[in-house]
Amino acid sequence: AQKITQTQPGMFVQEKEAVTLDCTYDTSDPSYGLFWYKQPSSGEMIFLIYQGSYDQQNATEGRYSLNFQKARKSANLVISASQLGDSAMYFCAMRGDRGSTLGRLYFGRGTQLTVWP
Amino acid sequence: ETGVTQTPRHLVMGMTNKKSLKCEQHLGHNAMYWYKQSAKKPLELMFVYSLEERVENNSVPSRFSPECPNSSHLFLHLHTLQPEDSALYLCASSQEQGKSVNTEAFFGQGTRLTVV
């Protein structure tokens, strides 16, 4: 089974600063994918970034980058130059290639990010 | 149109009522999902449909009944719910290709359900 742990219930960051949201995972699958989603107060889960377990380089998407440390089983999200609109709940999720239901994502409990001016 | 649309956005229902949640995806995906998001809990997968066939029923009580009439539409029929069923219900879709793990799911905005 897959397990995702997000240990930061809440994080605060000043506008224009960088922030790191932590995520650790546990799986026995040889191949897996790691995802980060953003959930504003409106409720929709917005896909941000993906990292494959066999990817050699850390994923980047605009202001988002994923600090992937496979040996430590961590996949932290780094948001650079924070904006007020980044205030939201952030979820780390994963899926594996064995045994899991088709397409099933396993989610952490999330981190509430607040960006202040 | 947005990729995944859910209606209604908000729903208040009594424990004896029958209601349905609707989800529609405009992305041409071959898999659709219902997730439940309760306060202070991780998202819980409820049902998975692949090519209109249910492939997962994640120990969900029978008062929740899914229906997938075609690859673009997914319903969740609700009857005799309990107050603890109050939650945000999220629909998602994805394009699955074998055992590939790099496929992201696209979510709708959810239906916020309150059972009174």
Side-chain angles (χ1 to χ4, degrees):
Chain A
Q2 335 287 348
K3 185 179 179 182
I4 294 283
T5 303
Q6 294 180 254
T7 57
Q8 305 156 315
M11 288 286 286
F12 295 84
V13 65
Q14 190 170 23
E15 199 177 8
K16 300 181 185 177
E17 297 294 313
V19 62
T20 298
L21 305 183
D22 294 342
C23 172
T24 58
Y25 61 91
D26 192 20
T27 181
S28 56
D29 288 359
S31 176
Y32 50 91
L34 297 153
F35 303 80
W36 276 92
Y37 284 86
K38 171 185 178 181
Q39 186 179 40
S41 56
S42 59
E44 182 181 3
M45 298 283 278
I46 302 167
F47 167 72
L48 297 178
I49 194 168
Y50 163 82
Q51 179 81 46
S53 59
Y54 287 106
D55 292 343
Q56 296 297 313
Q57 293 188 330
N58 287 343
T60 60
E61 286 288 346
R63 294 186 299 111
Y64 303 109
S65 60
L66 205 152
N67 183 2
F68 180 48
Q69 298 187 45
K70 193 171 182 178
R72 293 186 176 184
K73 293 190 174 180
S74 73
N76 298 339
L77 177 69
V78 181
I79 305 175
S80 62
S82 297
Q83 302 172 355
L84 296 178
D86 293 336
S87 293
M89 196 75 166
Y90 288 80
F91 290 94
C92 182
M94 75 174 297
R95 57 182 288 179
D97 68 338
R98 278 193 190 172
S100 298
T101 301
L102 174 76
R104 176 176 186 166
L105 285 169
Y106 293 82
F107 285 85
R109 291 179 176 270
T111 296
Q112 179 68 47
L113 176 66
T114 302
V115 181
W116 50 285
Chain B
E1 293 187 0
T2 57
V4 181
T5 305
Q6 289 186 244
T7 55
R9 293 292 310 280
H10 300 272
L11 178 62
V12 179
M13 61 185 288
M15 289 190 283
T16 58
N17 291 159
K18 290 184 180 181
K19 297 287 184 183
S20 296
L21 309 185
K22 179 182 175 182
C23 176
E24 184 174 1
Q25 59 101 357
H26 309 278
L27 302 167
H29 287 166
N30 59 8
M32 296 186 75
Y33 313 82
W34 281 115
Y35 283 87
K36 176 183 177 183
Q37 186 177 25
S38 305
K40 302 187 187 300
K41 277 187 171 183
L43 272 78
E44 303 169 70
L45 179 68
M46 299 176 74
F47 300 105
V48 179
Y49 276 82
S50 174
L51 298 174
E52 302 149 43
E53 289 193 24
R54 191 190 312 179
V55 297
E56 171 90 350
N57 176 353
N58 204 31
S59 302
V60 178
S62 59
R63 58 184 182 270
F64 295 91
S65 175
E67 178 190 1
C68 188
N70 56 60
S71 60
S72 299
H73 293 87
L74 186 64
F75 295 89
L76 188 62
H77 303 300
L78 316 170
H79 64 97
T80 59
L81 295 191
Q82 305 298 311
E84 59 264 29
D85 296 323
S86 297
L88 180 68
Y89 289 85
L90 288 161
C91 173
S93 71
S94 65
Q95 182 62 25
E96 296 300 310
Q97 299 173 346
K99 291 283 191 179
S100 175
V101 297
N102 66 352
T103 304
E104 71 266 32
F106 292 81
F107 286 80
Q109 289 188 296
T111 295
R112 193 163 296 280
L113 173 68
T114 303
V115 181
V116 298

